[in-house]
């Protein structure tokens, strides 16, 4: 999908109904919505690293999926589109049950926005 068509879509995909994207109109603040989206992208990027890809936020509602080697990029408007983009860029379908991916995720430290340290 081209960038303009992605901007013109009228709402989030049903797969994001339980996320901040699915309740964007009801989000208490833009800051909170941005932080939730950042956390989701950090988690996505942990998974995408196994496929040689990364994802970035675009316009607060879409994903830019990049192949780390070669610089190819595809735009995705929702999570199903993101997985299709990864498949096209990586040359193989993402498999959430792949034992190597599961092992990588279990051994890697959790990523996400840094939490402030508490003083003892």
């Amino acid at each position: 999908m081209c960038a303009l068509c992605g901007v013109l879509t009228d709402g989030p995909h049903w797969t994001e109904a339980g996320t901040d994207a699915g309740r964007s109109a009801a989000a208490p603040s833009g800051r909170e919505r941005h932080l939730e989206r950042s956390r989701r992208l950090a988690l996505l990027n942990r998974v995408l690293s196994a496929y040689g890809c990364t994802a970035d936020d675009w316009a607060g509602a879409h994903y830019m999926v990049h192949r780390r080697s070669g610089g190819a990029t595809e735009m995705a408007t929702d999570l199903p589109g993101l997985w299709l983009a990864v498949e096209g860029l990586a040359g193989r379908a993402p498999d959430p049950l792949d034992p190597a991916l599961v092992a990588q995720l279990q051994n890697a430290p959790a990523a996400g926005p840094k939490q402030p340290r508490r003083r003892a």
Side-chain angles (χ1 to χ4, degrees):
M1 177 178 298
C2 77
L4 182 58
C5 292
V7 171
L8 297 177
T9 58
D10 59 349
H13 191 268
W14 66 269
T15 57
E16 295 182 338
T19 69
D20 59 296
R23 60 179 174 81
S24 61
S29 72
R31 180 180 185 278
E32 185 175 318
R33 182 173 185 266
H34 175 74
L35 289 174
E36 287 184 16
R37 189 163 177 87
S38 293
R39 287 184 195 104
R40 186 167 60 247
L41 277 164
L43 179 58
L44 282 168
N45 279 316
R46 286 182 62 201
V47 174
L48 296 183
S49 69
Y51 300 96
C53 296
T54 61
D56 294 317
D57 181 44
W58 188 76
H62 307 288
Y63 303 101
M64 294 300 292
V65 184
H66 312 278
R67 187 173 55 211
R68 281 191 302 227
S69 62
T73 299
E74 289 191 28
M75 181 174 203
T77 58
D78 48 41
L79 293 174
L82 179 136
W83 299 122
L84 287 173
V86 170
E87 183 174 356
L89 293 170
R92 61 185 172 123
D95 178 5
L97 300 177
D98 177 10
L101 173 61
V102 172
Q104 175 184 328
L105 293 173
Q106 289 175 337
N107 294 328
K114 295 190 179 198
Q115 301 295 322
R117 290 186 177 194
R118 294 183 184 165
R119 292 187 178 186

